[in-house]
Amino acid sequence: MVSKQAGMLEQLGGTIEHFSGKDVRDKVMAGSGKVHNAFPVEMARWVKGAMERLDSLVDKATAARIMEECGHNCASVNKVINRAKARRSKHATVEEFLAAEVEKPMRGTRLVREGNVLYQYYTPQSFGKGMRCYCGLMRHLPAEEVVSPTYCQCSKGFVTKFWEAALGRPVKVEVLESALTGARECKFAISL
């Protein structure tokens, strides 16, 4: 496994420990040391199992908070906040920015605006055959397998950070569909 995925697993373990303690972290992360050199499919299957363990050990709200925090961390590591602010700075108003984003969204994304709700779609299959998710831990999950919706709260956290940075204020984001749970693409509702 490349160092980026190892770092992602370490971050996941640290976030679990922060919100739920060392005992829960140890149980969820059981076997993570064995996947450090795993093939991408094996990694995705291990993460799938980790989400099942997380769901069985903590309440739904705590599991969601853990994964949202992972998404916030991912947004920071990948400099999403800087990109969002840079994209926004090219437009005089928020409305102009939103119209431009809908017209020409970032690659692998499409946007549809309906009043005060912006629907953001992730289309990972547009990047390559078999890609299920943009996350390096889950992109190679086999097509016939699904993962707990808990995992997708990470993307919710990532999307939230982007739009909050771009708009300069808090936003509410909801995961409506996920390619990892069986949908064709991921769909988020962003309340503007």
Side-chain angles (χ1 to χ4, degrees):
M1 181 174 64
V2 296
S3 63
K4 184 172 183 177
Q5 281 80 12
M8 292 165 75
L9 287 180
E10 287 177 28
Q11 188 271 324
L12 173 61
T15 304
I16 293 168
E17 183 173 350
H18 175 77
F19 287 99
S20 298
K22 185 180 183 312
D23 185 51
V24 171
R25 182 209 62 205
D26 290 348
K27 289 175 183 174
V28 173
M29 300 303 291
S32 63
K34 295 177 182 175
V35 295
H36 281 219
N37 293 312
F39 291 107
V41 170
E42 293 170 358
M43 172 61 68
R45 285 182 171 146
W46 181 88
V47 174
K48 175 185 172 181
M51 290 302 102
E52 291 167 0
R53 292 187 294 278
L54 181 64
D55 285 343
S56 73
L57 293 167
V58 301
D59 61 84
K60 187 175 180 175
T62 301
R65 183 67 190 119
I66 287 166
M67 295 311 296
E68 282 180 50
E69 188 64 27
C70 287
H72 295 169
N73 291 334
C74 185
S76 294
V77 167
N78 290 294
K79 299 180 174 61
V80 168
I81 294 168
N82 294 342
R83 284 187 292 171
K85 289 179 179 178
R87 289 176 75 88
R88 168 62 181 94
S89 71
K90 295 176 184 177
H91 305 280
T93 68
V94 168
E95 288 301 318
E96 288 175 11
F97 165 68
L98 290 171
E101 288 296 302
V102 168
E103 184 176 324
K104 189 175 180 183
M106 291 181 285
R107 183 174 178 230
T109 302
R110 66 184 176 91
L111 299 168
V112 175
R113 185 169 180 188
E114 294 179 7
N116 287 328
V117 178
L118 183 66
Y119 294 99
Q120 179 170 333
Y121 297 83
Y122 278 174
T123 56
Q125 66 275 19
S126 68
F127 276 87
K129 185 177 180 182
M131 183 183 280
R132 295 278 306 277
C133 183
Y134 291 132
C135 176
L137 295 176
M138 292 300 279
R139 68 177 42 141
H140 297 288
L141 185 71
E144 67 278 2
E145 295 185 37
V146 296
V147 71
S148 166
T150 297
Y151 190 78
C152 301
Q153 298 305 304
C154 182
S155 291
K156 175 184 176 182
F158 189 93
V159 169
T160 300
K161 284 298 180 186
F162 177 88
W163 289 103
E164 286 183 346
L167 300 176
R169 60 179 168 74
V171 297
K172 179 183 172 196
V173 175
E174 182 181 359
V175 179
L176 300 177
E177 297 176 1
S178 165
L180 289 176
T181 62
R184 188 175 163 277
E185 58 191 0
C186 303
K187 181 179 180 182
F188 305 89
I190 300 109
S191 299
L192 304 172

